């Protein structure tokens, strides 16, 4: 088993370097298990040696976001959460173990990704495995009545061509959530701040190098879709529906 002694920022290649090496196929799939240090714990994460959807490695934003959430736990405490672009599932596993967070993983409609997340749950003592939803951004979401008041993600702004599809999925999750019903439920359970707790939001972080123009393209796309963007600091953003 390898131990990740390198900086998280070294986990990805330069912008012009492709991870889709010629001659690699699904039938040649292999894995590597590495130990990764998260705030207050060590996780053993099995990573694909290669995956065409870049779901094979832990990205720098995973570690940075984990640290930010530990320092700002009020953003996740009491929430029901879904993570987009879960990859190896490491962030979700960390949040379940650290905060007992009710969290669902989600990634591209790919069985290998789902199986690998379940494996990583098992080796890190998360049983049963976290619930998982296979969903390709932009396509019809498989859940008609989404019940998550928190959507999270880290380092998912890699492919500019997918921005509109990502925004479509975000808009669905944030606007289809039954806010009024949840407000009433939370208010009946907690007289203080029930409405705040129920308001759905998307909190994201990244450390992946993207250009300013690409960054603005994503945020302007969110605003055009009726979503409000707030910078929380340290490359962490909160996005909510204006409606």
């Amino acid at each position: 088993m390898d131990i990740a002694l390198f900086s998280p920022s070294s986990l990805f290649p330069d912008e012009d370097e492709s991870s889709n090496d010629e001659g690699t196929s699904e039938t040649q799939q292999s894995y590597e298990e590495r130990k990764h240090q998260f705030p207050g714990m060590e996780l053993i994460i099995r990573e694909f040696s290669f995956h065409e959807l870049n779901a094979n490695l832990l990205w720098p934003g995973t570690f940075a976001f984990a640290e930010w959430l530990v320092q700002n736990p009020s953003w996740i405490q009491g929430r029901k959460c879904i993570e987009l672009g879960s990859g190896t599932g490491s962030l979700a596993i960390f949040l379940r173990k650290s905060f007992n967070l009710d969290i669902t993983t989600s990634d591209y409609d790919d069985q290998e990704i789902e199986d690998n997340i379940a494996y990583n749950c098992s080796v890190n003592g998360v049983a049963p495995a976290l619930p998982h939803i296979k969903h390709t951004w932009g396509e019809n979401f498989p859940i008609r009545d989404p019940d998550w008041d928190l959507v999270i993600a880290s380092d998912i702004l890699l492919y500019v061509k997918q921005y509109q599809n990502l925004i479509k999925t975000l808009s669905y999750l944030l606007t289809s959530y039954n806010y009024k019903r949840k407000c009433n439920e939370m208010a009946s359970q907690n007289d203080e701040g029930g409405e705040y707790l129920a308001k759905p939001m998307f909190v994201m972080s990244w450390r992946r190098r993207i250009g300013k123009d690409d960054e603005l393209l994503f945020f302007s796309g969110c605003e055009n879709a009726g979503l409000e963007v707030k910078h929380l600091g340290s490359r962490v953003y909160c996005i909510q529906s204006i409606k």
Side-chain angles (χ1 to χ4, degrees):
M1 178 186 298
D2 294 336
I3 299 178
L5 298 177
F6 41 78
S7 167
S9 63
S10 68
L11 284 171
F12 53 82
D14 293 334
E15 293 294 336
D16 58 351
E17 185 177 337
S18 173
S19 61
N20 190 3
D21 294 330
E22 204 173 309
T24 306
S25 68
E26 291 185 8
T27 59
Q28 298 171 324
Q29 185 64 274
S30 61
Y31 307 90
E32 294 182 14
E33 287 190 7
R34 295 189 176 98
K35 295 179 179 179
H36 291 277
Q37 293 296 328
F38 282 77
M41 73 176 66
E42 180 180 80
L43 296 181
I44 299 171
I45 300 298
R46 187 177 74 171
E47 305 165 56
F48 300 119
S49 298
F50 163 83
H51 197 280
E52 63 181 351
L53 302 173
N54 281 312
N56 54 321
L57 295 176
L58 276 72
W59 296 76
T62 299
F63 301 95
F65 199 22
E67 292 175 0
W68 188 88
L69 290 169
V70 167
Q71 296 168 5
N72 300 273
S74 62
W75 286 89
I76 57 175
Q77 288 174 336
R79 297 273 182 172
K80 186 172 183 180
C81 177
I82 183 171
E83 181 189 18
L84 299 182
S86 296
T88 62
S90 56
L91 179 60
I93 292 169
F94 167 74
L95 293 175
R96 168 59 67 85
K97 291 175 70 73
S98 293
F99 299 97
N100 195 30
L101 182 65
D102 183 346
I103 185 166
T104 296
T105 59
S106 177
D107 211 307
Y108 186 84
D109 188 352
D110 180 86
Q111 190 60 43
E112 283 186 322
I113 295 176
E114 180 177 9
D115 292 344
N116 195 48
I117 291 175
Y119 176 88
N120 286 329
C121 286
S122 176
V123 297
N124 288 286
V126 175
L130 297 173
H132 180 81
I133 293 177
K134 291 185 284 190
H135 168 66
T136 301
W137 298 340
E139 295 184 0
N140 291 333
F141 201 80
I143 305 298
R144 291 188 177 183
D145 187 18
D147 195 29
W148 302 282
D149 58 356
L150 175 64
V151 184
I152 64 170
S154 60
D155 275 347
I156 62 171
L157 299 185
L158 178 59
Y159 301 111
V160 175
K161 291 181 179 179
Q162 289 298 320
Y163 284 3
Q164 287 303 315
N165 290 331
L166 172 57
I167 291 169
K168 182 178 178 180
T169 291
L170 282 176
S171 296
Y172 174 79
L173 290 172
L174 295 177
T175 61
S176 299
Y177 178 85
N178 196 325
Y179 175 54
K180 292 183 179 179
R181 184 189 70 196
K182 283 296 180 179
C183 280
N184 293 334
E185 291 178 0
M186 296 299 291
S188 65
Q189 298 171 12
N190 180 8
D191 291 337
E192 296 182 3
E195 183 171 339
Y196 169 77
L197 288 173
K199 191 168 181 60
M201 61 185 179
F202 172 55
V203 180
M204 64 172 290
S205 171
W206 77 87
R207 287 295 184 275
R208 189 70 166 91
R209 297 186 295 271
I210 62 174
K212 287 292 183 181
D213 290 342
D214 292 343
E215 182 179 307
L216 291 174
L217 183 63
F218 174 73
F219 290 139
S220 62
C222 287
E223 292 171 351
N224 291 338
L227 303 177
E228 179 183 29
V229 179
K230 295 180 181 178
H231 184 208
L232 304 179
S234 189
R235 286 193 179 179
V236 178
Y237 292 82
C238 177
I239 297 176
Q240 294 175 293
S241 173
I242 296 175
K243 299 178 181 179

